[in-house]
Amino acid sequence: MQSIDKIKLYRYRIPCQTGVVLRKQPLVERQGFIIQLERSGKMGFGEIAPLPTFSTETLEMAEQQLKRWCQSPTQNVEELYPSVAFGLSCALAELEGSLDEEGAFESALLCDGNMTTFKAKLAQTGSSLAKIKIGFDAKQEGVLANRLLTEFPQLQLRLDANRAWQQDQAVEFAQQIAKSLRSRIQFIEEPCQTPSLSRQFAQLTGIAIAWDETVREADFCVKKEPYLNAIVIKPTLVGSLAKCIDLIQQAHQQGLQVVISSSIESSLGLSQLARIAKQYTPESVAGLDTLHLMKVQLVRGWNGSSLPLADLQSEFIEPIQFA
């Protein structure tokens, strides 16, 4: 690796909108780090933001590892915590010019059950892809999915259950959806508490599934299976850019769709995810619709967002000494 002329490290704290909950834990503030690398006048930025209750490493663990790397930036990023590896690899990719500038900013339309609002959004965007967060009330959510598929014949659905259901609950959900409509569900992300139960659910109902949490298990191997349509990659939770690209290539070789997905990064990290999605998964709509959970943008704006943009000198960011 070529030498780096300057390294700057920052910590950020962004207030979140009220009501953001991660695995029953309120998220009132999103915290993370921004690293700025400079070589021959060229800048590279990366965001390191472990996601509470999801990441294996804590914010403090990530900070300690980051400081060590900044003092001696020769350690292979592949050996670092996933969030650290991802943020550093993005900064290095920007320095090297290997990350394309153009991003894919389209997202599936989120439907929370308010049909009036959803119809208005659909008319405004002309989208043909919607997403529902499920896993709370199987019957009610199944009724909603059936209604969307019935009322909007051009619509396809993605559903995200986060391993919330036992198999009988997942089957109850499916029973609310007409069999003739089920093929328009692109996939349900991890409907059941284990991959084995999710496979059984797919076989019983004919509804396709996608791996999300399973992708991050130590023994995960990309493998085409009956009813498996996609894998979901959350780079902050998976690791370096190289590791993510390798997973993408393996999946594409086996005919699986890949969805790049957010771990509630700031607009800086989200815009990099949009660039990764455009460069490596151009045929698939990414899952990056989380900026609305925050009250400001950071360093780089998200295409079309009206949220205020905070720079490195703002009240939301503080420099970190590592020498």
Side-chain angles (χ1 to χ4, degrees):
M1 184 177 74
Q2 295 181 45
S3 62
I4 297 168
D5 299 333
K6 290 182 186 176
I7 301 175
K8 292 182 181 179
L9 188 60
Y10 304 86
R11 181 171 185 150
Y12 74 77
R13 304 171 190 267
I14 305 176
C16 291
Q17 304 290 356
T18 55
V20 182
V21 177
L22 295 176
R23 291 181 175 167
K24 301 182 181 178
Q25 179 178 313
L27 185 70
V28 297
E29 185 180 61
R30 189 67 172 108
Q31 297 187 47
F33 305 96
I34 295 171
I35 191 161
Q36 178 185 340
L37 307 180
E38 183 176 344
R39 180 196 292 147
S40 304
K42 187 169 184 179
M43 299 287 186
F45 286 88
E47 177 176 344
I48 298 92
L51 185 61
T53 75
F54 284 84
S55 288
T56 55
E57 68 277 14
T58 65
L59 200 69
E60 292 73 23
M61 291 163 67
E63 181 175 6
Q64 290 171 7
Q65 200 174 69
L66 262 174
K67 286 178 177 178
R68 287 195 296 270
W69 189 90
C70 289
Q71 289 168 339
S72 180
T74 54
Q75 184 179 0
N76 185 351
V77 298
E78 305 298 327
E79 301 168 356
L80 305 177
Y81 298 130
S83 64
V84 181
F86 178 62
L88 286 175
S89 63
C90 282
L92 291 166
E94 288 195 345
L95 271 192
E96 294 156 7
S98 59
L99 183 58
D100 289 355
E101 291 295 328
E102 190 177 353
F105 294 92
E106 181 188 359
S107 278
L109 280 181
L110 189 63
C111 181
D112 61 3
N114 186 324
M115 294 297 284
T116 303
T117 304
F118 180 75
K119 284 179 183 178
K121 285 182 182 177
L122 199 63
Q124 183 181 9
T125 63
S127 177
S128 59
L129 180 63
K131 181 173 182 176
I132 311 174
K133 292 279 189 180
I134 58 175
F136 305 97
D137 184 322
K139 186 171 183 179
Q140 185 177 328
E141 290 157 351
V143 168
L144 174 61
N146 190 73
R147 182 178 175 189
L148 288 172
L149 292 168
T150 302
E151 291 192 21
F152 306 102
Q154 84 287 4
L155 201 64
Q156 293 201 325
L157 289 183
R158 289 179 181 173
L159 308 169
D160 185 3
N162 288 125
R163 293 186 171 181
W165 285 329
Q166 297 186 35
Q167 193 181 57
D168 59 342
Q169 294 172 300
V171 170
E172 182 184 22
F173 166 85
Q175 286 171 341
Q176 315 309 313
I177 303 170
K179 289 184 178 179
S180 60
L181 301 176
R182 294 179 187 179
S183 63
R184 284 169 43 214
I185 297 174
Q186 282 193 358
F187 52 75
I188 302 181
E189 296 176 32
E190 308 260 3
C192 301
Q193 292 166 342
T194 67
S196 176
L197 289 175
S198 290
R199 291 183 182 102
Q200 291 176 36
F201 160 82
Q203 190 170 11
L204 282 168
T205 63
I207 295 176
I209 58 173
W211 296 142
D212 179 359
E213 288 87 349
T214 299
V215 173
R216 303 191 294 275
E217 292 180 348
D219 59 350
F220 176 71
C221 178
V222 182
K223 182 182 177 183
K224 178 68 175 172
E225 302 180 44
Y227 302 104
L228 179 66
N229 274 8
I231 65 169
V232 177
I233 296 178
K234 291 182 167 72
T236 287
L237 305 181
V238 167
S240 71
L241 189 51
K243 183 175 181 179
C244 294
I245 293 167
D246 184 52
L247 285 170
I248 291 166
Q249 291 173 341
Q250 287 183 55
H252 284 170
Q253 285 167 5
Q254 300 197 45
L256 292 170
Q257 184 181 172
V258 180
V259 177
I260 301 296
S261 184
S262 157
S263 301
I264 317 185
E265 294 85 359
S266 77
S267 61
L268 171 62
L270 281 176
S271 63
Q272 289 179 323
L273 291 173
R275 290 159 64 189
I276 293 164
K278 178 72 173 177
Q279 187 168 346
Y280 296 103
T281 62
E283 304 301 317
S284 179
V285 175
L288 306 177
D289 54 343
T290 55
L291 186 59
H292 67 284
L293 302 176
M294 301 187 192
K295 293 189 176 179
V296 297
Q297 301 187 80
L298 216 56
V299 182
R300 291 181 186 157
W302 177 263
N303 188 41
S305 175
S306 59
L307 288 173
L309 179 63
D311 62 21
L312 290 172
Q313 284 71 49
S314 76
E315 63 185 291
F316 305 103
I317 299 177
E318 60 176 327
I320 294 178
Q321 301 300 320
F322 53 83

